[in-house]
Amino acid sequence: MQKLTGKTALVTGGNSGIGLATARLFIEHGARVAITGRDPETLRQAQELLGGDALALQSDAGSIEDIERALAAVRERFGRLDVLVANAAVAQPTPFEQVSEQQFDEINAINYKGVFFTIQKALPLLEPGASVIVTTSISNAAGAPHFSVYAAGKAALRSLVRSLALELIGRGIRVNAVSPGPIDTPGFGRWGLPAEAVQAIRDEFVRKSPAGRFGHADEVAQVALFLASADASYVVGAEIVVDGGFSLPL
Ligand SMILES: NC(=O)c1ccc[n+]([C@@H]2O[C@H](COP(=O)([O-])OP(=O)(O)OC[C@H]3O[C@@H](n4cnc5c(N)ncnc54)[C@H](OP(=O)(O)O)[C@@H]3O)[C@@H](O)[C@H]2O)c1
């Protein structure tokens, strides 16, 4: 059964990994979907994969001007939004003492400020019954060495989801979070580390994982679909962890 028939959705960071899998699944379930990203090539590939009815928008989640432009394009194409997935984020593993002010500002502009203002600017398009889903991370509770800026930003998002859930439920808008553990996406290749170092970290993740493997982007997308759909009509301010049990022993 299709769960999003006649619905419209915007997925930020929808040109890769979890965002792309989510956009694809939403379309399979009958939604009209817009995605954002920065990279023109992966946006083009995503557009091809998602089909002509999808709207692929080049938009920097760290720029309020870009966010407003993307939402204006969504308004023009769809007229309203039923589902917003605030998913775009960057991770740049860096030892604490080496984090520069510029890096701190850049990561927070995309991962925290960008999400905050994407939701705020999307509000006029969100009608009663709408669902906002924020992609957090299990690092928001567990912490993660070399990810101090990223993990703290995700913790801020967890808090934001609680506040907005309370503030917006009166308008019929549900706000929830999906919190992935290690998921196999192109994101790992963007860490700026040598391939062997990334592989060593990935091997360690698998060794520590109760499920004994990485998760797939589709497994996170299925949870986003649940939160987006009427199946989650009484789910408000929740964070659903999708990590194969990774965070349980912590
Ligand atoms: N994979 C995991 O293990 C894992 C674990 C916990 C949480 N997460 C979270 O899951 C979400 C998706 O990550 P992923 O693993 O799917 O990584 P990914 O494949 O690297 O996807 C990240 C997406 O975000 C977009 N993005 C990054 N900065 C952006 C910006 N300034 N403006 C617009 N788009 C931007 C990227 O597009 P461009 O390259 O075009 O900018 C890309 O589409 C993120 O919030 C991440 O923190 C992932």
Side-chain angles (χ1 to χ4, degrees):
M1 192 190 89
Q2 288 199 321
K3 298 193 169 194
L4 298 177
T5 307
K7 303 288 186 188
T8 59
L10 170 64
V11 182
T12 71
N15 49 338
S16 178
I18 292 167
L20 180 57
T22 302
R24 201 172 171 179
L25 186 65
F26 282 9
I27 289 170
E28 273 172 37
H29 278 265
R32 302 176 70 203
V33 174
I35 61 165
T36 66
R38 291 170 301 181
D39 177 43
E41 181 50 26
T42 47
L43 276 169
R44 191 193 59 72
Q45 289 168 8
Q47 173 82 73
E48 215 170 283
L49 186 82
L50 298 175
D53 197 36
L55 184 60
L57 300 163
Q58 190 172 25
S59 173
D60 183 347
S63 154
I64 307 281
E65 214 181 305
D66 273 23
I67 292 168
E68 288 178 329
R69 231 194 328 261
L71 286 164
V74 167
R75 181 198 293 273
E76 196 180 316
R77 175 73 75 96
F78 299 151
R80 63 169 211 287
L81 259 187
D82 299 298
V83 184
L84 169 63
V85 184
N87 166 79
V90 289
Q92 298 164 1
T94 310
F96 172 63
E97 69 271 26
Q98 289 172 24
V99 175
S100 66
E101 184 182 2
Q102 188 198 356
Q103 190 185 27
F104 182 97
D105 287 345
E106 187 192 324
I107 295 174
N108 279 312
I110 297 167
N111 294 12
Y112 177 49
K113 184 177 156 192
V115 171
F116 186 103
F117 284 103
T118 298
I119 300 171
Q120 188 198 67
K121 305 288 178 191
L123 215 44
L125 294 180
L126 297 168
E127 289 176 4
S131 168
V132 175
I133 299 153
V134 177
T135 312
T136 54
S137 160
I138 58 168
S139 68
N140 68 5
H146 294 193
F147 286 87
S148 52
V149 184
Y150 173 87
K154 293 293 189 179
L157 290 184
R158 176 64 188 104
S159 171
L160 181 68
V161 164
R162 287 196 178 95
S163 297
L164 297 188
L166 290 168
E167 199 166 330
L168 300 181
I169 192 59
R171 294 159 72 159
I173 299 168
R174 293 181 298 106
V175 184
N176 291 289
V178 55
S179 175
I183 308 295
D184 196 8
T185 70
F188 288 91
R190 302 188 220 272
W191 280 2
L193 296 177
E196 318 80 68
V198 174
Q199 192 55 49
I201 295 169
R202 288 178 58 105
D203 291 347
E204 185 66 2
F205 279 148
V206 172
R207 199 185 59 74
K208 285 186 177 162
S209 165
R213 66 171 177 86
F214 266 76
H216 305 298
D218 288 340
E219 293 175 301
V220 184
Q222 290 288 351
V223 175
L225 173 66
F226 166 69
L227 290 173
S229 75
D231 288 348
S233 52
Y234 203 51
V235 182
V236 174
E239 180 180 62
I240 301 183
V241 172
V242 189
D243 73 346
F246 196 88
S247 54
L248 281 179
L250 297 174

